[in-house]
Each structure stands twice: as structure tokens, then as C-alpha cells.
Amino acid sequence: MVNMIPKGPEEEMGEQLLEEVIGKGGYNGKGKKYAVLLCAEDSEYVKKKYGGYFGVFVRMLREEGELWSVFRVAGNEFPDEKEIESYDGFVITGSCNDAHSNELWICKLLALLKNLDSLKKKVLGICFGHQILGRSLGGKTGRASSGWDIGLRTIHISQSTSKGLSNLKIPSTLDIIECHRDEVLELPSKVEVIARSNKTSIEMFKYGDHMMGIQGHPEYNKDILVHLIDRLLQKDFIEGTYANELRAKYMESREPDKEAWRKLCVGFLKGRL
């Protein structure tokens, strides 16, 4: 586990950026504490330019006076019981792994999420995080029948949820970057589906006031997605022709609604929805 306390200007790159990405203000020992459960290995490109995916999430979610930490759960690094109690919320990241897998670290993550549920800790799941969170709540995950969804997607937030977001001035339709071939297929009745798209029937869900999943990537920008397309090609997840089509299509597309997504994610984690 790494605690990140700011040490200097944000424009520094690499390892220094990872320490400084938290920004100014520091941690006074009294502010709230949050942790990123990192479910993927950082590429050298993302580490150098953004301070890793931890840096990407902290840039989007951190507010002054908060302490943010990272647990590299895909590397079998998990918080212990004492550490869990000290945190106000957790964010589960994306991953190249399958949420329906029974790898050891994934089974340990499922156990952790069930514990966080019993403690009513705030948990935000993104992409793989959305899927594994849904599975921990009794849902079913697997390959999407429609195949890969990579690029910009418009999602439609349910009317009841949209009304609850009116104070944040978040519209009922939002564009988000997607990059997945798995999805949440089913959820138990106790879990509320709060957003859909023409590609994926469960784009967002919410359980109580403490757990929320988002299938898309509110933290991504165009640069990260183009880099990720290259990585998927290198790992033979997608073919070259498809990768070229995706690059051309996305470079011509509009930008995602990043600020609205930031407000929504911060509002959920900080109990403002």
C-alpha cells in the first residue's frame, strides 16, 4: 500500500508525478481517506505521463484535505481489517482480467467487497470494477453477446436517478469512453439498474447508498484510449484492421462528458447525491 502526500508542482512526470498528482493542500490527519484498488498493471506510458492509473483516478476524484492510497490487488496487495476501518471509500479500477474468473486475487477481492458491503463503506466500481462489484452482490458477469465496445458511447440515466442528480446539474444522457468485452449480465432485485445504452443493458447500477458501478471509463481521455487500443492490439485481444477502424472513428468523435462524470463520481463517494 502506498500513501501519497503531495511534495511539489503537478507538472513533474514519472515517479515524482505519482507522488505529486494529489495536488496542493496536503493531508492534515483529520480529512477523509480513500483507496484505489488497482486491478491492472500500469503501462510504462501511463506511468510516465499520468503517474499510473492511480494518478489518473486521484486527479479526477481527490479534493483538498483528503488522503488517497493505492492497493495493488492484482498483485495480491490487500488492506487488512484495521486499514479497512480507517477508510471512508474505495474505488475499483478496470482490468484486462475477467470478472467471472476464479483466480486467487479475484476471489480475495470478492471477499473484500462483501466485507465492505457489510461495513457500508462507499465503493465505486469502474469497468472491471463495475463487473466484479456486481458479481459480489450476487450478479452474473460474462462475455457480452454483442462483442467488444470500444470508443464513445451515449448512456441514458434512469428518470428516477436523473431527478436525484438535478442539484449537480448533470443531464440524463452522458457520453463516456467504453473499453470492454465483458459485462454484467444479471443483477439481483436488491440492486437498481440506473443507466443503459443501446449496446449494454446495465451501464450503471446502485446498491443502497454505498455501492455504485459504472461500466464505462469516466477517468479516460482520448489519449489514454488510443494508447489502450495499441496495447490491446499488442496483446492480440483485437485485430489490426479493427484497431485502425477504432482509431479513425474515435479521433473524429466528440469528447466525453468528463466534467459531468467527475461531479457524479465525486458526489457519490462523498455522499452528495
Side-chain angles (χ1 to χ4, degrees), residues 123-167:
V123 181
L124 174 64
I126 303 298
C127 197
F128 168 89
H130 160 89
Q131 297 161 14
I132 199 71
L133 184 59
R135 181 181 173 188
S136 76
L137 293 170
K140 180 181 177 182
T141 66
R143 290 282 190 265
S145 60
S146 57
W148 279 99
D149 188 9
I150 303 176
L152 201 66
R153 181 72 51 186
T154 299
I155 75 159
H156 304 272
I157 299 173
S158 67
Q159 187 174 8
S160 59
T161 301
S162 185
K163 288 180 180 178
L165 300 176
S166 59
N167 62 317

Side-chain angles (χ1 to χ4, degrees), residues 31-51:
K32 291 190 174 184
K33 293 175 62 178
Y34 297 92
V36 172
L37 303 177
L38 190 63
C39 302
E41 290 186 16
D42 291 322
S43 69
E44 288 302 316
Y45 178 83
V46 172
K47 280 195 288 188
K48 182 177 180 180
K49 187 163 184 179
Y50 299 99

Side-chain angles (χ1 to χ4, degrees), residues 78 92 98-117 128 131-139 141 211:
F78 286 83
I92 323 164
D98 297 328
H100 51 273
S101 165
N102 288 316
E103 293 182 55
L104 178 60
W105 73 268
I106 289 178
C107 292
K108 289 178 69 173
L109 180 56
L110 285 168
L112 171 60
L113 295 177
K114 290 175 182 178
N115 188 21
L116 296 179
D117 178 25
F128 168 89
Q131 297 161 14
I132 199 71
L133 184 59
R135 181 181 173 188
S136 76
L137 293 170
T141 66
M211 290 186 156

Side-chain angles (χ1 to χ4, degrees), residues 45-64:
Y45 178 83
V46 172
K47 280 195 288 188
K48 182 177 180 180
K49 187 163 184 179
Y50 299 99
Y53 285 110
F54 173 63
V56 174
F57 275 103
V58 171
R59 279 187 181 276
M60 179 176 75
L61 299 172
R62 184 186 181 273
E63 296 179 311
E64 186 173 342

